[in-house]
Structure formats: structure tokens, C-alpha cells
Amino acid sequence: MVCIMPGASSRLALFFLGYYAAATALEGVAGKDCGADHHRYYVAAVYEHQSILSPDPLELTSRQQALELMNQNLDIYEQQVLTAAQKGVQIIVFPEDGIHGFNFTRTSIFPFLDFMPSPQLVRWNPCLEPHRFADTEVLQRLSCMAIKGEMFLVANLGTKQPCLSSDPRCPHDGYYQFNTNVVFSSNGTLVDRYRKHNLYFEAAFDTPLQVDHITFDTPFAGKFGVFTCFDILFFDPAVTLIRDLEVKHIVYPTAWMNQLPLLAAIEIQKGFAMAFGVNVLAANIHHPSLGMTGSGIHTPLKSFWYHNMVSPKGQLIISQLPQNPSCLVGTEKAKDKMDSFHSKFLKMVSSDPYCEKDAQEVHCEEASKWNTNGPPPFHSEMMYDNFTLVPVEGKEGHLRVCSNNLCCYLLYERPVVSQELYALGVFSGLHTVHGTYSIQVCALVKCGGLGFDTCGQEITEATGLFDFYLWGNFSTSYIFPLFLTSGMTLQTPDQLGWENEHYFLRKTGLSSGLVTAALYGRLYERT
């Protein structure tokens, strides 16, 4: 099924095939012992695929009919593998739902499912041993593609696993059905499989009893981790792979419907790469009429991405990636970059008033210096959450806005005040629409119009230029920097980090109008 973010608009008509490299390191690499890893690279590809869909996914069909449709998509996959092979690609990633499509019921998807033996129990090369297991035609074709392209291959398909009636969790039809990513080595061997854990309203599939924490080793870049779509917003398996299993590279099939201003596909992909200091190879499905586009190859500092709301065609993205992305980022504090703007930020963050919350509102000592002559806060819906916001006025200034236990701050300068409304917003609480999870968010956004009620609407074009610091007293260390400018252009902050128990983002010298700059914190333990 489709991993969609609610509220995505099909009216957006945009194209962007982009590349962005930060002009400055996030904080430098002083003190890191990276050795030669800093100069070693591998070549990766992701393919954003416009899948050929079943005309009626609710209709019952035969296995042969299902294979005829899936083979049309697999033919396109094979063309992309051969093209990538000519460019020296060593690993390629295809999107979620790209082979079989979406919007099935549990019954109607069954003919589209391959049998999936456990790679932990069975060593198997489907291309070389095609008759070993029945109903594995899709796995066989993918295995043969990996051999033809001489590359690792990651793809998503539906799989089935028979279960016994003595199993209390066994579905009534006698099968578990999983949304599955598979990994093949360059010789066609089935290396491993990952069964999606955080399903997004996917009635056709079951949730595995235990979370799959799947890693696989490659000769060109070491250890990779794998998860799917909605998983990116949850602790397991995503954070566990990086924190406990020391993964530096993520392969990420997804079928993501964009929702601005905070959860566009390329926006969260890039935010994850920056937050965890990893490479992310993200392949999205391509269906602009459903708001579904946005794939990329991301390091913590650089991105190659594709976002196209006009063309019906897919896109192959190829990029060189560092073997050790953690060498690109460091842990130096903000005080190591001294200028007048920076000094002002340091003074403000070090004198932040103490705040505490009673049953009604947040009370802060020494609050008068922030609130004198400042604009009053207002409320507006953003991402289905009730944000508290203050308008951004004038060529320079500083603002604070608080909600529950989170206060967000903005220090800004503008060369010219554009005829647009910008606002600084805060939300700290439980997100409950189309998924339930706890978040803390500080966001500087361009509003959809000049009315306060338009703040939080989906927009993609802007002209307002800012030099700014955005920071907040977050109570989580898991914070995704989200940063978009006009035309769905990804940006990388000049600096990210902690200062005086506040997490901050700095950016100067924007060349295109600011759409969104946000710090998106996840409180996993409260989900």
C-alpha cells in the first residue's frame, strides 16, 4: 500500500532535478580520525518509477494475470539496471509498491505475492535455482537483474509466508502477508529481506511479530541498513540500525505522498541524513496526480534529488557517495565561529529565561525583553496540528514563541522585506491524524497568503531572503533539520548543534526565497 502523508495537494505543478552541496561544513571535522575513508567513494543509483498499475486493484485476478502486470514494471526495472551498469553503479534501489502497485485488499493482492523463504535459514540464488520454490517469479527476475548489472539490487514486493492453525496469530487464510524489501548481491544471491514494521493503513499486509533489524555488508562501502517509507518517523527499526548496529548507509524504498510545509519526501530524506550523519538512498514512486514524487541520494552535506509534479516519466539518479559519511560532519560548538551575528546569538541563547508550565500557559522569568513591542501570538493549523505562531516583521529582529514545554526562538536579518507573510511557529504534543506520535517542532514558514489563517498551507514558491538562527529548548536529541527554498530546492544549514541546552540551526546567504526552515523533533518514548 501507499505511504502517504495526509493533505498532499495534486494542484502543485513543479519540476526539480537538483543538486546541492553545502558551502560550509555543518560544524567541521576537527578531531575526527577518518583516515583514507574521507576520500573513498562508491557509486549508487535510485530510480523513481511510474509504476504500471492494476486498473482495478480490488478485483480478484489470477497469478498469471498478476505476473503479466508485474513483468511490465520489471521490464522497466531491467532497463534502468542496464543503464546504471554502464555508469559503474554498484548498488541500485527501487521504490515501494513499484512492482505490484497499491490500493489492494488482503484478498485481491494475494496473486501478486511471491513466496519468501527466510534468507537466514536458506542460502538461495533465485536466478540460478529458479525451480527451488514455487511462486517466486518476481524474485527470480530481480536476481537475474542483479547478475546482469553486476550490482547490489534493492527492491520492494509483496510476499507471503504460510502459517499453521496452531499459531494464534496466523491469519484466517493461512498466510502472513508482508510488505517486503529484498536485497540481492551482485551475483544474484538473496542476501536478506526486510518486512515493513510501521504500516501506513495497509490492510493487505501484516505487521511482523518482531521488528526486523536488517543489515547487509557490501565490498564497496561496508554495512547498509534497510527500512521502508513510514518507518522513517519511528524509532524501530530506523534509529536502532544507526545507534546500535552502527549503520552508515540506508537504502530506503518509499511510496510517499508529499505534504508541505514539513513532510515533503525529499525534505524528510535529507533531514534524516543530516540528523544521523548517514547516507540515504531513497527511491520514491512517481505518481504526480497523487502528489507522489521525490527521490534522492543524500549525504549529510550533499544531495542529488528529483521532484517533478509535471512529467509522467520516472527518473534514474546516479551519484558518488563517501564510504564514511560521518567524516563530513563534526561536533564543534557554535562558539568556534565568531562574527557579530553569531556573537548576538550566543548572548541571547546564554541568557535564555527560565520557563515553567502551569495548567494554562508557560511562564518565563525575564520574559519582558522578548515580548516588549513584539507581535502577539496567533494559532493556525499546520500538518493537522494546532501551532502557536508569531509573525515575522521588519528587516531584523528576534522572536520567541512557546507551547507546552517547548520555546522556539528566531534571530533574523533580511536584506529586503518581501511582500509575503512569514511566521515562527511552535508545536509540542501528540500528532494524531493519520498516525499517532509525539513531536516537538520549531518552524519558520512562509504562509500561503497575507492572512494568519494561511500559515501552514502548502506552498512551494517564495522570494523572502533571510540570514537567521532558529533554535529551541528541545527535550529530545532526535531532531530532523528540514530546509526548503523556492522551487522545492533543498538547502543545508551552515551550522547545526547544541548550545546551552538549545538545539540550533544557522543559515546565511540564501540565494532563493525561504519556504521552510524547521527543527522537527521526535519523542519516540512518548509514542
Side-chain angles (χ1 to χ4, degrees):
M1 298 296 285
V2 189
C3 178
I4 57 174
M5 294 291 100
S9 172
S10 60
R11 69 179 183 276
L12 302 178
L14 298 169
F15 163 77
F16 208 91
L17 175 59
Y19 164 69
Y20 186 85
T24 59
L26 295 186
E27 294 196 16
V29 296
K32 282 191 173 290
D33 182 17
C34 292
D37 284 352
H38 187 49
H39 304 288
R40 292 175 180 167
Y41 296 87
Y42 65 99
V43 182
V46 301
Y47 181 61
E48 178 160 313
H49 175 53
Q50 187 197 28
S51 54
I52 299 167
L53 301 174
S54 170
D56 185 0
L58 303 182
E59 182 182 2
L60 298 182
T61 187
S62 67
R63 174 67 174 175
Q64 186 58 41
Q65 290 171 316
L67 286 172
E68 289 174 2
L69 182 134
M70 292 191 289
N71 275 321
Q72 294 180 66
N73 288 308
L74 289 166
D75 288 344
I76 298 172
Y77 278 26
E78 186 164 342
Q79 293 171 10
Q80 302 307 316
V81 167
L82 296 177
T83 299
Q86 295 174 356
K87 304 294 185 180
V89 167
Q90 294 161 287
I91 183 168
I92 190 168
V93 183
F94 291 100
E96 182 184 26
D97 297 337
I99 297 172
H100 55 271
F102 39 78
N103 291 334
F104 294 94
T105 66
R106 181 177 182 85
T107 302
S108 66
I109 202 173
F110 191 79
F112 293 83
L113 306 180
D114 266 33
F115 170 71
M116 185 74 222
S118 172
Q120 285 79 31
L121 301 176
V122 177
R123 181 173 175 83
W124 179 43
N125 188 311
C127 186
L128 303 182
E129 304 173 272
H131 304 297
R132 188 171 178 182
F133 302 103
D135 290 340
T136 58
E137 292 90 342
V138 174
L139 292 171
Q140 292 168 31
R141 284 211 63 182
L142 293 171
S143 171
C144 292
M145 285 182 214
I147 294 174
K148 289 180 181 178
E150 297 182 346
M151 66 184 68
F152 275 66
L153 184 149
V154 181
N156 174 271
L157 71 158
T159 64
K160 60 187 177 183
Q161 176 184 324
C163 51
L164 301 174
S165 58
S166 57
D167 177 357
R169 296 183 69 252
C170 183
H172 63 87
D173 50 24
Y175 285 90
Y176 288 114
Q177 299 180 178
F178 297 117
N179 178 333
T180 305
N181 295 336
V182 288
V183 181
F184 293 94
S185 70
S186 57
N187 66 10
T189 299
L190 178 62
V191 175
D192 219 325
R193 58 96 176 94
Y194 166 73
R195 300 166 300 178
K196 185 178 179 183
H197 193 78
N198 298 287
L199 298 174
Y200 191 85
F201 302 99
E202 300 176 52
F205 293 119
D206 301 300
T207 301
L209 178 60
Q210 296 180 328
V211 181
D212 291 340
H213 296 111
I214 301 302
T215 66
F216 60 95
D217 289 315
T218 66
F220 49 83
K223 188 186 296 183
F224 282 72
V226 55
F227 53 84
T228 309
C229 204
F230 203 38
D231 288 326
I232 202 169
L233 292 179
F234 296 89
F235 189 87
D236 269 325
V239 180
T240 299
L241 287 173
I242 297 165
R243 189 192 67 174
D244 298 342
L245 300 178
E246 300 181 345
V247 164
K248 297 178 182 177
H249 315 270
I250 297 294
V251 290
Y252 179 59
T254 184
W256 190 285
M257 184 181 287
N258 294 286
Q259 186 184 11
L260 291 162
L262 300 180
L263 288 178
I266 58 173
E267 190 178 21
I268 191 64
Q269 296 161 15
K270 176 68 171 178
F272 192 93
M274 287 193 288
F276 291 104
V278 296
N279 293 332
V280 175
L281 284 58
N284 197 8
I285 206 79
H286 187 77
H287 288 285
S289 63
L290 300 175
M292 302 175 76
T293 182
S295 302
I297 298 177
H298 310 274
T299 78
L301 294 184
K302 297 180 181 180
S303 287
F304 290 84
W305 74 92
Y306 178 73
H307 178 102
N308 190 331
M309 289 293 290
V310 179
S311 171
K313 297 181 179 179
Q315 180 70 40
L316 182 68
I317 306 171
I318 299 174
S319 177
Q320 195 177 60
L321 289 160
Q323 291 181 357
N324 189 354
S326 61
C327 286
L328 300 178
V329 294
T331 57
E332 296 174 8
K333 287 195 171 183
K335 63 187 179 184
D336 294 323
K337 277 196 171 187
M338 295 304 293
D339 53 57
S340 59
F341 195 39
H342 199 68
S343 298
K344 190 172 184 179
F345 159 70
L346 290 177
K347 183 177 180 180
M348 298 178 78
V349 76
S350 63
S351 60
D352 176 50
Y354 170 74
C355 301
E356 61 182 12
K357 176 180 178 293
D358 63 18
Q360 300 297 322
E361 59 185 0
V362 174
H363 299 283
C364 297
E365 298 174 6
E366 303 177 18
S368 59
K369 69 176 184 179
W370 286 93
N371 298 334
T372 300
N373 300 322
F378 62 93
H379 291 87
S380 187
E381 186 178 276
M382 187 188 307
M383 313 291 294
Y384 293 93
D385 295 318
N386 185 27
F387 272 70
T388 304
L389 305 103
V390 289
V392 179
E393 300 174 340
K395 290 188 67 173
E396 62 180 45
H398 54 268
L399 296 169
R400 184 188 67 192
V401 63
C402 300
S403 175
N404 294 325
N405 57 345
L406 176 64
C407 285
C408 301
Y409 305 82
L410 178 70
L411 173 65
Y412 65 95
E413 297 176 353
R414 295 198 269 185
V416 178
V417 178
S418 64
Q419 298 301 308
E420 300 164 307
L421 175 61
Y422 282 87
L424 172 66
V426 60
F427 179 81
S428 180
L430 190 67
H431 175 85
T432 58
V433 178
H434 300 278
T436 302
Y437 44 90
S438 292
I439 56 175
Q440 290 185 324
V441 183
C442 293
L444 171 60
V445 295
K446 183 200 164 186
C447 304
L450 297 180
F452 289 168
D453 61 342
T454 69
C455 296
Q457 292 181 356
E458 298 186 54
I459 62 102
T460 59
E461 303 297 326
T463 62
L465 302 179
F466 287 81
D467 292 344
F468 66 94
Y469 281 90
L470 174 67
W471 71 99
N473 62 330
F474 290 87
S475 55
T476 176
S477 61
Y478 298 107
I479 302 167
F480 302 93
L482 308 176
F483 204 168
L484 282 174
T485 56
S486 194
M488 293 300 291
T489 305
L490 289 171
Q491 298 285 341
T492 299
D494 298 335
Q495 286 181 285
L496 288 168
W498 290 93
E499 190 67 48
N500 196 32
E501 298 183 349
H502 290 70
Y503 193 78
F504 76 95
L505 177 159
R506 171 182 174 160
K507 185 64 178 181
T508 59
L510 283 178
S511 58
S512 57
L514 179 68
V515 171
T516 302
L519 298 171
Y520 191 93
R522 279 287 284 114
L523 290 86
Y524 297 113
E525 70 279 4
R526 298 185 189 177
T527 298

